Amino acid sequence: MPTVYIYLPVASSMRPISRRQYLASVAVGTAGLAGCSSDAEESTPDDSEADTSDSEPADTSVLECDAPEQPAPDTSAGIHEEYDKTVVTVQSTDCETLGSVTAAIADTGDLRYTGLSDTESLPDNRGMLFVFDEQQDLTFVMREMDFPIDIIYADGDGVITSIHHAEAPGPDEDGENLRYPGRGQYVLEVTRDWTTDRGVEAGDRLFFGLS
């Protein structure tokens, strides 16, 4: 059966999402999230935990750039074979394309709970996109993670609200204390310093294209 796409208007561009993502976007509840995924019940952590963001909150007004051309998804890495995937492209506030990754889609409670905790390593051109029903306060936890990552929060229009450079747990740590709060409807996880190397900042925007 062919993949069904649903197009939703976003400002002056059209952003495609799959039927699965659309159903996830109207699903109710994100309880029980943990691991390398959000913990919505702990959306207001202590100041010592919250003061970990590497970027200031952004002006999340919708950008007036045309959607960039999306490259074909990469499926050669042999990871996340059981996931639906989408290409995520980052565009700057002056409409420059900064980079793209093929991202596994985590759009259910179980997938968001597991996150990247079952992934041994992540190529530079791969990532994971967490999809929530609405914009909300979230806290992502580095539970049982094997490598550091960048955590990118974005609002319902894909505009980046904050970026964290998250540490991996130490040899005798489970990562429970490594918490990175933010606000968004989408969260993109990529390799550590992916955003720095490409000049990605709060206020830039994520665009999604589907395989």
Side-chain angles (χ1 to χ4, degrees):
M1 179 179 294
T3 301
V4 178
Y5 296 97
I6 298 172
Y7 286 80
L8 299 181
V10 178
S12 60
S13 64
M14 302 292 286
R15 182 175 63 211
I17 63 173
S18 67
R19 180 180 297 275
R20 179 177 177 182
Q21 282 181 286
Y22 176 77
L23 293 177
S25 73
V26 297
V28 178
T30 57
L33 306 178
C36 188
S37 59
S38 78
D39 187 350
E41 293 180 358
E42 297 185 32
S43 59
T44 55
D46 295 339
D47 290 343
S48 60
E49 296 174 345
D51 190 21
T52 57
S53 179
D54 299 299
S55 58
E56 296 297 325
D59 176 3
T60 57
S61 56
V62 176
L63 306 180
E64 295 300 332
C65 302
D66 293 332
E69 291 187 10
Q70 299 285 47
D74 171 59
T75 57
S76 62
I79 63 171
H80 305 144
E81 294 179 352
E82 69 279 20
Y83 286 77
D84 289 339
K85 299 177 183 66
T86 180
V87 174
V88 182
T89 298
V90 185
Q91 194 177 75
S92 69
T93 54
D94 58 0
C95 305
E96 177 186 359
T97 297
L98 301 176
S100 63
V101 295
T102 296
I105 300 171
D107 58 358
T108 69
D110 288 343
L111 293 178
R112 290 191 292 255
Y113 183 94
T114 301
L116 290 173
S117 62
D118 281 350
T119 304
E120 294 182 0
S121 62
L122 192 69
D124 196 47
N125 65 338
R126 300 297 289 268
M128 182 167 284
L129 179 68
F130 297 78
V131 180
F132 296 89
D133 60 314
E134 62 183 3
Q135 181 168 294
Q136 58 192 281
D137 293 322
L138 300 163
T139 296
F140 270 55
V141 183
M142 294 291 285
R143 185 177 298 118
E144 306 299 336
M145 283 290 293
D146 291 329
F147 50 90
I149 56 174
D150 282 358
I151 302 174
I152 305 169
Y153 284 91
D155 67 13
D157 294 312
V159 179
I160 297 173
T161 58
S162 62
I163 300 171
H164 295 282
H165 303 293
E167 304 174 19
D172 299 321
E173 299 177 337
D174 60 11
E176 288 280 358
N177 62 326
L178 299 175
R179 296 171 174 266
Y180 298 90
R183 182 169 178 80
Q185 184 172 351
Y186 304 99
V187 179
L188 177 66
E189 293 183 344
V190 291
T191 56
R192 176 69 181 255
D193 293 327
W194 189 93
T195 57
T196 303
D197 293 344
R198 291 158 181 77
V200 177
E201 301 176 343
D204 295 336
R205 186 177 178 186
L206 308 182
F207 286 86
F208 314 129
L210 298 177
S211 57

